[in-house]
C-alpha cells in the first residue's frame, strides 16, 4: 500500500506571496491532519479534515487554511507569507484502530522557505 | 491548554544499554498514547501505541503507561547507533480529538 505523499517537497517563496501544499493520504484513510514543524516550536497542529469537513483546528491565524476533497486528498493554503512561516509542513493520514484511536502516518513533508 | 512534556535532551546512552525516554501529559482524559521516532531531515514514524495502564512490548521497545501519574515512557533495550534520533511522545483523548505532540527528546547512542 502506498504511503502518504506530499507535493511539492521543497518550495521557496517571498514575503507576501501565497502557497498551496498538497497531500494524498494512504488509500482508505479518510482523516488528514496538517502540522507545522520548526526547530523551536516542535510539531504544531494546524488542522484536521475528515470526510471533507474540518474536524479540529489548532491555534494558527486565519492566513492558514485547508480543504479536503471527496477522494480524501487535502490541500493547505498559506496567504500573505511571513518569514516565520518557514518550516517543514507535514501531512498525516489516519484510520481508526480497533481500539478507537487514530494512528497517524506521516508524509515526507514540504520544506517551505520564505525569503 | 492540553500539553505533552518531554525533556529535550540530548540523552546520551552507551551502545547496548537501555535508553529510557519519559513523557508527561496534562489532560487526565487522554486515552491514547503514541511514540514516534524522527531521524534528522525525515518525517516522524510510529514506533508504539499504548492505550491501557501497564507495559507493552514490541521487540526491543517497551512502552509503559501510568494514567494515575499521567506518565508515559519508552524503553529501548540493547540500544544501537541506529536508534539515535528524536523521539516524539503524543497523546489524544479519543478518535475525534486532535493529537498533541511533545517537542521530542533527542537520543544519542554512543558507539
Amino acid at each position: 500500500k502506498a504511503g502518504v505523499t506530499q507535493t511539492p517537497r521543497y518550495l521557496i517563496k517571498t514575503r507576501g506571496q501565497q502557497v498551496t501544499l498538497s497531500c494524498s493520504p494512504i488509500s482508505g484513510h479518510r482523516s488528514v491532519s496538517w502540522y507545522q514543524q520548526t526547530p523551536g516550536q516542535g510539531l504544531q497542529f494546524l488542522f484536521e479534515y475528515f470526510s471533507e469537513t474540518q474536524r479540529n483546528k489548532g491555534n494558527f491565524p486565519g492566513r492558514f487554511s485547508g480543504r479536503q476533497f471527496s477522494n480524501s486528498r487535502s490541500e493547505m493554503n498559506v496567504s500573505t507569507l511571513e518569514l516565520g512561516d518557514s518550516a517543514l509542513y507535514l501531512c498525516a493520514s489516519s484510520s481508526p484502530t480497533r481500539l478507537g484511536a487514530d494512528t497517524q502516518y506521516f508524509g515526507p513533508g514540504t520544506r517551505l522557505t520564505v525569503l | 491548554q492540553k500539553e505533552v512534556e518531554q525533556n529535550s535532551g540530548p540523552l546520551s546512552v552507551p551502545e547496548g544499554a537501555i535508553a529510557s525516554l519519559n513523557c508527561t501529559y496534562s489532560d487526565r482524559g487522554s486515552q491514547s498514547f503514541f511514540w514516534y521516532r524522527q531521524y534528522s531531515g525525515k518525517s516522524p514514524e510510529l514506533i508504539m501505541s499504548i492505550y491501557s495502564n501497564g507495559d507493552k512490548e514490541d521487540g526491543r521497545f517497551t512502552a509503559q503507561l501510568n494514567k494515575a501519574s499521567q506518565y508515559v515512557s519508552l524503553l529501548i533495550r540493547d540500544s544501537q547507533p541506529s536508534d539515535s534520533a528524536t523521539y516524539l511522545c503524543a497523546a489524544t483523548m479519543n478518535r475525534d480529538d486532535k493529537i498533541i505532540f511533545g517537542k521530542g527528546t533527542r537520543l544519542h547512542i554512543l558507539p
Side-chain angles (χ1 to χ4, degrees), chain A residues 9 35 37 40-43 45 48 55-59 88 90 96-97 99-109 111, chain B residues 1 31-34 36 38 41-46 49-52 56 88 92 94-103:
Chain A
R9 293 293 310 280
Y35 296 87
Q37 188 173 38
Q41 297 299 318
L43 202 60
F45 175 78
E48 180 201 5
R55 183 159 72 173
N56 287 296
K57 189 177 188 304
N59 298 320
L88 178 67
L90 290 161
T97 69
L99 292 172
D102 289 3
T103 297
Q104 297 202 326
Y105 297 90
F106 285 85
R111 172 74 63 184
Chain B
Q1 175 135 350
Q31 297 293 326
S32 305
F33 305 88
F34 307 91
Y36 285 82
Q38 186 174 23
K42 302 293 186 182
S43 57
E45 56 179 327
L46 182 70
S49 57
I50 185 166
Y51 309 102
S52 306
K56 179 181 178 183
L88 303 170
T92 185
N94 54 54
R95 74 168 69 184
D96 293 332
D97 200 13
K98 63 186 179 185
I99 295 180
I100 307 297
F101 282 83
K103 292 188 177 181

Side-chain angles (χ1 to χ4, degrees), chain A residues 41-43, chain B residues 4-6 23 87-91 100-105:
Chain A
Q41 297 299 318
L43 202 60
Chain B
V4 174
E5 300 284 343
Q6 296 180 257
C23 167
Y87 289 80
L88 303 170
C89 173
I100 307 297
F101 282 83
K103 292 188 177 181
T105 298

Side-chain angles (χ1 to χ4, degrees), chain A residues 97-99 103, chain B residues 33-35 46-66 72-77:
Chain A
T97 69
R98 63 179 180 85
L99 292 172
T103 297
Chain B
F33 305 88
F34 307 91
W35 281 100
L46 182 70
I47 300 175
M48 297 273 290
S49 57
I50 185 166
Y51 309 102
S52 306
N53 275 329
D55 294 0
K56 179 181 178 183
E57 188 174 317
D58 184 0
R60 296 187 296 113
F61 299 95
T62 298
Q64 299 175 317
L65 173 60
N66 184 326
V72 190
S73 66
L74 179 71
L75 301 178
I76 306 175
R77 291 181 299 282

Side-chain angles (χ1 to χ4, degrees), chain A residues 5-39:
Chain A
T5 58
Q6 291 186 246
T7 57
R9 293 293 310 280
Y10 303 92
L11 208 49
I12 299 175
K13 293 285 188 179
T14 57
R15 279 180 298 174
Q17 287 187 308
Q18 75 165 22
V19 66
T20 299
L21 311 181
S22 180
C23 171
S24 292
I26 292 171
S27 177
H29 287 192
R30 294 164 61 192
S31 171
V32 173
S33 297
W34 288 90
Y35 296 87
Q36 181 195 66
Q37 188 173 38
T38 59

